[in-house]
Amino acid sequence: MNPLEFVALTPKSNCGRCGHPTCLAFAVAVTKGGATASGCPFVDPDRLPPDFMQDGNRSGLQAVDRGQEERDMALVAHLKSKARGLDFSRLAVRLGAKWTPDRPDELRFFYLGRPVLLDRTHLEVDGQGLVDPRDQILLYNYVAFGGGDPPQGIWVGMESLPNSISKVRTLATYCEQRLSDRFCGRSKELEELCRQVGGSSGPPEQSADVGMIIPVLPFVPLYLLFWDEDPDDGFEARVKVLFDKGVMDFLDLESLVFAAERLADRLAELDT
Protein backbone atom coordinates (compact mmCIF):
# COMPACT_ATOMS: atom_id res chain seq x y z
CA MET A 1 0.00 0.00 0.00
CA ASN A 2 1.42 3.41 -0.99
CA PRO A 3 0.73 6.75 0.78
CA LEU A 4 -2.00 7.84 -1.65
CA GLU A 5 -3.84 4.54 -1.25
CA PHE A 6 -3.65 4.81 2.52
CA VAL A 7 -4.66 8.47 2.72
CA ALA A 8 -7.83 7.64 0.78
CA LEU A 9 -8.92 5.67 3.88
CA THR A 10 -8.49 8.68 6.19
CA PRO A 11 -10.99 11.57 6.54
CA LYS A 12 -8.42 13.86 4.82
CA SER A 13 -9.36 16.56 7.34
CA ASN A 14 -5.87 17.13 8.79
CA CYS A 15 -7.38 17.02 12.29
CA GLY A 16 -4.03 16.21 13.92
CA ARG A 17 -5.33 13.45 16.21
CA CYS A 18 -2.66 11.10 14.85
CA GLY A 19 0.07 13.51 15.95
CA HIS A 20 0.93 14.65 12.42
CA PRO A 21 0.12 17.99 10.78
CA THR A 22 -1.62 16.40 7.77
CA CYS A 23 -3.23 13.12 6.77
CA LEU A 24 -0.61 12.79 4.03
CA ALA A 25 2.24 13.04 6.55
CA PHE A 26 0.58 10.28 8.59
CA ALA A 27 0.08 8.16 5.48
CA VAL A 28 3.78 8.43 4.64
CA ALA A 29 4.69 7.57 8.23
CA VAL A 30 2.53 4.43 8.11
CA THR A 31 3.44 3.15 4.65
CA LYS A 32 7.10 4.20 4.57
CA GLY A 33 8.17 4.69 8.17
CA GLY A 34 6.55 1.81 10.04
CA ALA A 35 4.01 3.76 12.12
CA THR A 36 0.89 1.91 13.21
CA ALA A 37 -2.28 2.79 11.33
CA SER A 38 -4.29 2.73 14.56
CA GLY A 39 -2.93 6.20 15.25
CA CYS A 40 -5.86 7.46 13.18
CA PRO A 41 -9.16 6.64 14.92
CA PHE A 42 -11.08 7.03 11.66
CA VAL A 43 -9.30 4.36 9.59
CA ASP A 44 -11.29 1.13 9.24
CA PRO A 45 -8.88 -1.71 10.18
CA ASP A 46 -10.84 -4.18 8.05
CA ARG A 47 -9.64 -2.33 4.94
CA LEU A 48 -5.96 -2.71 5.82
CA PRO A 49 -3.39 -5.52 5.76
CA PRO A 50 -3.16 -7.07 9.27
CA ASP A 51 0.38 -5.85 9.99
CA PHE A 52 -0.66 -2.21 9.47
CA MET A 53 -2.63 -2.22 12.74
CA GLN A 54 0.18 -3.70 14.81
CA ASP A 55 2.77 -1.70 16.73
CA GLY A 56 4.76 0.30 14.25
CA ASN A 57 8.46 0.89 13.92
CA ARG A 58 8.79 4.20 15.74
CA SER A 59 12.43 4.63 14.81
CA GLY A 60 11.47 4.30 11.17
CA LEU A 61 8.67 6.81 11.63
CA GLN A 62 11.01 9.33 13.21
CA ALA A 63 13.51 8.84 10.41
CA VAL A 64 10.86 9.59 7.80
CA ASP A 65 9.75 12.76 9.59
CA ARG A 66 13.30 13.93 10.27
CA GLY A 67 14.50 13.24 6.72
CA GLN A 68 11.58 15.10 5.14
CA GLU A 69 11.99 18.05 7.49
CA GLU A 70 15.70 18.27 6.68
CA ARG A 71 14.98 18.24 2.95
CA ASP A 72 12.29 20.89 3.31
CA MET A 73 14.51 23.19 5.37
CA ALA A 74 17.39 22.76 2.92
CA LEU A 75 15.06 23.85 0.11
CA VAL A 76 13.90 26.85 2.16
CA ALA A 77 17.53 27.88 2.68
CA HIS A 78 18.22 27.51 -1.04
CA LEU A 79 15.22 29.63 -2.02
CA LYS A 80 16.15 32.31 0.52
CA SER A 81 19.62 32.47 -0.99
CA LYS A 82 18.07 33.03 -4.43
CA ALA A 83 15.87 35.80 -3.04
CA ARG A 84 18.87 37.75 -1.73
CA GLY A 85 20.02 38.55 -5.24
CA LEU A 86 16.67 39.59 -6.70
CA ASP A 87 15.54 43.09 -7.60
CA PHE A 88 12.39 43.44 -5.50
CA SER A 89 11.39 46.74 -7.13
CA ARG A 90 11.17 45.05 -10.53
CA LEU A 91 9.63 41.85 -9.21
CA ALA A 92 6.76 43.58 -7.43
CA VAL A 93 4.97 44.41 -10.69
CA ARG A 94 5.48 40.89 -12.03
CA LEU A 95 4.16 39.30 -8.82
CA GLY A 96 1.25 41.61 -8.01
CA ALA A 97 3.09 42.60 -4.82
CA LYS A 98 3.64 45.93 -3.09
CA TRP A 99 7.14 47.47 -2.89
CA THR A 100 8.19 50.87 -1.53
CA PRO A 101 11.55 52.70 -1.81
CA ASP A 102 11.71 53.27 1.94
CA ARG A 103 11.65 49.48 2.49
CA PRO A 104 13.56 48.21 -0.56
CA ASP A 105 14.18 44.71 0.79
CA GLU A 106 10.53 43.88 1.47
CA LEU A 107 7.64 42.61 -0.59
CA ARG A 108 4.07 42.60 0.66
CA PHE A 109 1.21 40.59 -0.82
CA PHE A 110 -1.64 38.28 0.22
CA TYR A 111 -1.72 34.51 0.65
CA LEU A 112 -5.26 33.13 0.84
CA GLY A 113 -6.50 36.42 2.23
CA ARG A 114 -3.69 36.78 4.79
CA PRO A 115 -1.07 39.55 4.57
CA VAL A 116 2.47 38.39 3.81
CA LEU A 117 5.69 40.25 4.63
CA LEU A 118 8.62 38.69 2.82
CA ASP A 119 12.16 40.00 2.91
CA ARG A 120 15.47 38.45 1.97
CA THR A 121 15.85 36.52 5.23
CA HIS A 122 12.48 36.56 6.99
CA LEU A 123 8.87 35.68 6.26
CA GLU A 124 5.69 36.48 8.15
CA VAL A 125 2.03 35.71 7.47
CA ASP A 126 -0.51 37.65 9.51
CA GLY A 127 2.34 39.04 11.59
CA GLN A 128 3.62 35.61 12.63
CA GLY A 129 6.41 33.34 11.49
CA LEU A 130 5.50 30.19 9.59
CA VAL A 131 5.88 26.83 11.31
CA ASP A 132 5.36 24.56 8.31
CA PRO A 133 8.36 24.81 5.93
CA ARG A 134 6.11 23.90 3.01
CA ASP A 135 4.41 27.30 3.26
CA GLN A 136 7.82 28.95 3.22
CA ILE A 137 8.77 26.91 0.15
CA LEU A 138 5.59 27.99 -1.63
CA LEU A 139 6.01 31.71 -0.88
CA TYR A 140 9.75 31.94 -1.55
CA ASN A 141 9.22 29.87 -4.71
CA TYR A 142 6.63 32.38 -5.88
CA VAL A 143 9.22 35.14 -5.56
CA ALA A 144 12.16 33.10 -6.90
CA PHE A 145 10.27 32.19 -10.09
CA GLY A 146 10.42 35.85 -11.07
CA GLY A 147 6.76 36.32 -11.99
CA GLY A 148 5.27 37.13 -15.35
CA ASP A 149 2.27 38.72 -17.01
CA PRO A 150 -0.97 39.01 -15.01
CA PRO A 151 -3.44 36.12 -15.31
CA GLN A 152 -5.17 35.89 -18.67
CA GLY A 153 -8.47 34.44 -17.52
CA ILE A 154 -8.00 31.40 -19.76
CA TRP A 155 -8.69 28.41 -17.52
CA VAL A 156 -7.24 24.92 -17.89
CA GLY A 157 -7.25 21.75 -15.79
CA MET A 158 -4.14 20.28 -14.20
CA GLU A 159 -4.15 17.61 -16.91
CA SER A 160 -3.56 20.31 -19.55
CA LEU A 161 -0.33 21.56 -17.93
CA PRO A 162 2.98 20.06 -19.11
CA ASN A 163 4.17 16.83 -17.43
CA SER A 164 1.27 16.87 -14.99
CA ILE A 165 -0.14 13.34 -15.33
CA SER A 166 1.20 12.20 -11.97
CA LYS A 167 -0.21 15.29 -10.22
CA VAL A 168 -3.83 14.99 -11.35
CA ARG A 169 -4.64 12.30 -8.80
CA THR A 170 -2.74 14.11 -6.05
CA LEU A 171 -4.75 17.27 -6.70
CA ALA A 172 -7.97 15.26 -6.56
CA THR A 173 -6.98 13.57 -3.28
CA TYR A 174 -5.78 16.59 -1.33
CA CYS A 175 -8.09 19.28 -2.65
CA GLU A 176 -10.97 18.35 -4.93
CA GLN A 177 -12.26 15.25 -3.15
CA ARG A 178 -11.83 16.82 0.28
CA LEU A 179 -13.92 19.83 -0.70
CA SER A 180 -16.64 17.85 -2.46
CA ASP A 181 -17.00 15.58 0.60
CA ARG A 182 -17.03 18.43 3.09
CA PHE A 183 -19.45 20.74 1.29
CA CYS A 184 -21.87 18.21 -0.16
CA GLY A 185 -25.31 19.79 0.23
CA ARG A 186 -23.75 23.08 1.40
CA SER A 187 -23.04 25.08 -1.75
CA LYS A 188 -24.03 28.41 -0.18
CA GLU A 189 -21.63 27.89 2.72
CA LEU A 190 -18.81 27.07 0.29
CA GLU A 191 -19.44 30.19 -1.76
CA GLU A 192 -19.43 32.40 1.35
CA LEU A 193 -16.17 30.91 2.62
CA CYS A 194 -14.55 31.46 -0.77
CA ARG A 195 -15.50 35.13 -0.54
CA GLN A 196 -13.88 35.32 2.90
CA VAL A 197 -10.51 34.48 1.34
CA GLY A 198 -10.90 37.03 -1.45
CA GLY A 199 -12.82 34.93 -3.96
CA SER A 200 -15.12 36.38 -6.60
CA SER A 201 -17.66 34.87 -8.97
CA GLY A 202 -16.28 33.28 -12.12
CA PRO A 203 -17.58 33.55 -15.69
CA PRO A 204 -21.36 33.11 -15.88
CA GLU A 205 -21.19 30.53 -18.67
CA GLN A 206 -20.05 27.80 -16.29
CA SER A 207 -22.82 25.37 -15.28
CA ALA A 208 -21.50 24.64 -11.76
CA ASP A 209 -23.54 25.37 -8.64
CA VAL A 210 -20.56 27.36 -7.33
CA GLY A 211 -17.87 28.93 -9.47
CA MET A 212 -15.38 31.08 -7.54
CA ILE A 213 -12.02 32.51 -8.58
CA ILE A 214 -9.78 32.58 -5.51
CA PRO A 215 -6.39 34.34 -5.48
CA VAL A 216 -4.23 31.94 -3.49
CA LEU A 217 -1.41 34.34 -4.41
CA PRO A 218 -1.85 37.62 -6.30
CA PHE A 219 -1.08 36.15 -9.74
CA VAL A 220 -1.99 32.53 -8.91
CA PRO A 221 -5.79 32.38 -8.92
CA LEU A 222 -7.56 29.05 -8.68
CA TYR A 223 -10.97 28.63 -10.27
CA LEU A 224 -13.00 26.36 -8.01
CA LEU A 225 -16.04 24.72 -9.59
CA PHE A 226 -18.50 22.82 -7.40
CA TRP A 227 -21.39 20.69 -8.56
CA ASP A 228 -23.57 19.62 -5.66
CA GLU A 229 -24.98 16.13 -5.39
CA ASP A 230 -28.16 15.21 -7.23
CA PRO A 231 -29.44 11.99 -5.62
CA ASP A 232 -32.38 11.75 -8.00
CA ASP A 233 -30.04 11.46 -10.99
CA GLY A 234 -27.37 9.53 -9.11
CA PHE A 235 -24.73 12.27 -9.21
CA GLU A 236 -22.34 12.74 -6.30
CA ALA A 237 -20.94 16.14 -5.33
CA ARG A 238 -17.88 17.04 -7.40
CA VAL A 239 -15.17 19.71 -7.37
CA LYS A 240 -12.87 20.69 -10.21
CA VAL A 241 -9.98 23.13 -9.78
CA LEU A 242 -8.78 25.06 -12.82
CA PHE A 243 -5.61 27.12 -13.26
CA ASP A 244 -4.80 30.16 -15.35
CA LYS A 245 -3.10 29.16 -18.59
CA GLY A 246 0.08 31.06 -17.67
CA VAL A 247 0.33 29.76 -14.11
CA MET A 248 3.62 27.96 -14.65
CA ASP A 249 5.36 31.32 -15.01
CA PHE A 250 4.81 31.60 -11.25
CA LEU A 251 5.08 28.12 -9.68
CA ASP A 252 6.12 24.56 -10.46
CA LEU A 253 3.63 21.69 -10.45
CA GLU A 254 4.47 20.53 -6.94
CA SER A 255 3.86 24.02 -5.58
CA LEU A 256 0.61 24.33 -7.53
CA VAL A 257 -0.74 21.16 -5.97
CA PHE A 258 0.31 22.37 -2.53
CA ALA A 259 -1.37 25.75 -3.18
CA ALA A 260 -4.61 23.89 -3.92
CA GLU A 261 -4.17 21.76 -0.79
CA ARG A 262 -3.68 24.91 1.28
CA LEU A 263 -6.86 26.35 -0.23
CA ALA A 264 -8.75 23.27 0.99
CA ASP A 265 -7.08 23.62 4.40
CA ARG A 266 -8.05 27.28 4.65
CA LEU A 267 -11.69 26.69 3.75
CA ALA A 268 -11.90 23.83 6.24
CA GLU A 269 -10.33 26.05 8.91
CA LEU A 270 -12.93 28.75 8.32
CA ASP A 271 -15.74 26.19 8.26
CA THR A 272 -15.88 25.75 12.03
Side-chain angles (χ1 to χ4, degrees):
M1 179 173 284
N2 63 43
L4 288 180
E5 291 171 333
F6 181 86
V7 84
L9 306 179
T10 74
K12 300 184 285 293
S13 60
N14 300 329
C15 69
R17 292 179 64 177
C18 62
H20 292 265
T22 66
C23 295
L24 176 59
F26 180 62
V28 172
V30 171
T31 58
K32 302 296 186 182
T36 175
S38 61
C40 175
F42 304 105
V43 171
D44 182 356
D46 293 336
R47 301 179 66 185
L48 293 170
D51 57 323
F52 272 55
M53 298 306 294
Q54 298 169 1
D55 289 340
N57 177 359
R58 292 299 171 182
S59 62
L61 166 60
Q62 292 168 0
V64 169
D65 289 345
R66 183 170 61 253
Q68 185 61 53
E69 182 178 0
E70 289 173 353
R71 288 190 292 272
D72 287 345
M73 293 312 298
L75 181 54
V76 170
H78 171 68
L79 292 171
K80 282 184 177 180
S81 70
K82 291 183 67 173
R84 293 189 189 103
L86 298 175
D87 182 349
F88 279 9
S89 64
R90 182 185 66 84
L91 276 178
V93 175
R94 296 174 60 82
L95 295 172
K98 181 179 179 180
W99 176 88
T100 58
D102 58 321
R103 295 183 177 272
D105 295 324
E106 293 182 359
L107 288 172
R108 294 177 182 268
F109 52 92
F110 285 88
Y111 173 37
L112 283 169
R114 292 169 164 164
V116 173
L117 169 60
L118 182 149
D119 65 27
R120 301 185 192 279
T121 61
H122 183 64
L123 179 61
E124 291 182 356
V125 175
D126 246 351
Q128 298 181 346
L130 288 171
V131 175
D132 193 328
R134 296 176 302 165
D135 290 296
Q136 298 181 57
I137 291 169
L138 176 64
L139 297 176
Y140 274 113
N141 222 10
Y142 181 61
V143 173
F145 254 63
D149 295 329
Q152 306 170 42
I154 301 173
W155 301 100
V156 298
M158 172 65 73
E159 64 278 2
S160 297
L161 298 175
N163 305 311
S164 63
I165 293 175
S166 64
K167 301 300 180 184
V168 172
R169 184 177 176 184
T170 308
L171 174 68
T173 300
Y174 298 113
C175 179
E176 294 170 336
Q177 189 62 50
R178 283 177 61 196
L179 292 175
S180 62
D181 290 346
R182 188 179 190 102
F183 292 100
C184 179
R186 303 172 58 219
S187 59
K188 294 298 183 184
E189 289 93 331
L190 175 59
E191 181 174 345
E192 175 56 32
L193 293 172
C194 289
R195 294 190 186 280
Q196 289 184 35
V197 294
S200 58
S201 298
E205 62 267 19
Q206 290 290 347
S207 62
D209 295 294
V210 176
M212 299 294 292
I213 298 174
I214 303 162
V216 176
L217 292 162
F219 283 175
V220 182
L222 271 57
Y223 191 3
L224 190 155
L225 297 169
F226 173 74
W227 292 267
D228 209 345
E229 67 174 352
D230 189 340
D232 293 338
D233 289 335
F235 292 115
E236 296 181 348
R238 183 168 68 92
V239 166
K240 177 71 173 176
V241 171
L242 303 179
F243 303 88
D244 187 80
K245 186 177 181 180
V247 71
M248 295 196 70
D249 289 341
F250 299 93
L251 290 173
D252 57 53
L253 288 171
E254 192 73 29
S255 295
L256 284 178
V257 172
F258 181 68
E261 180 183 346
R262 274 298 189 246
L263 170 60
D265 291 341
R266 181 74 171 125
L267 293 175
E269 176 188 331
L270 293 170
D271 185 38
T272 55

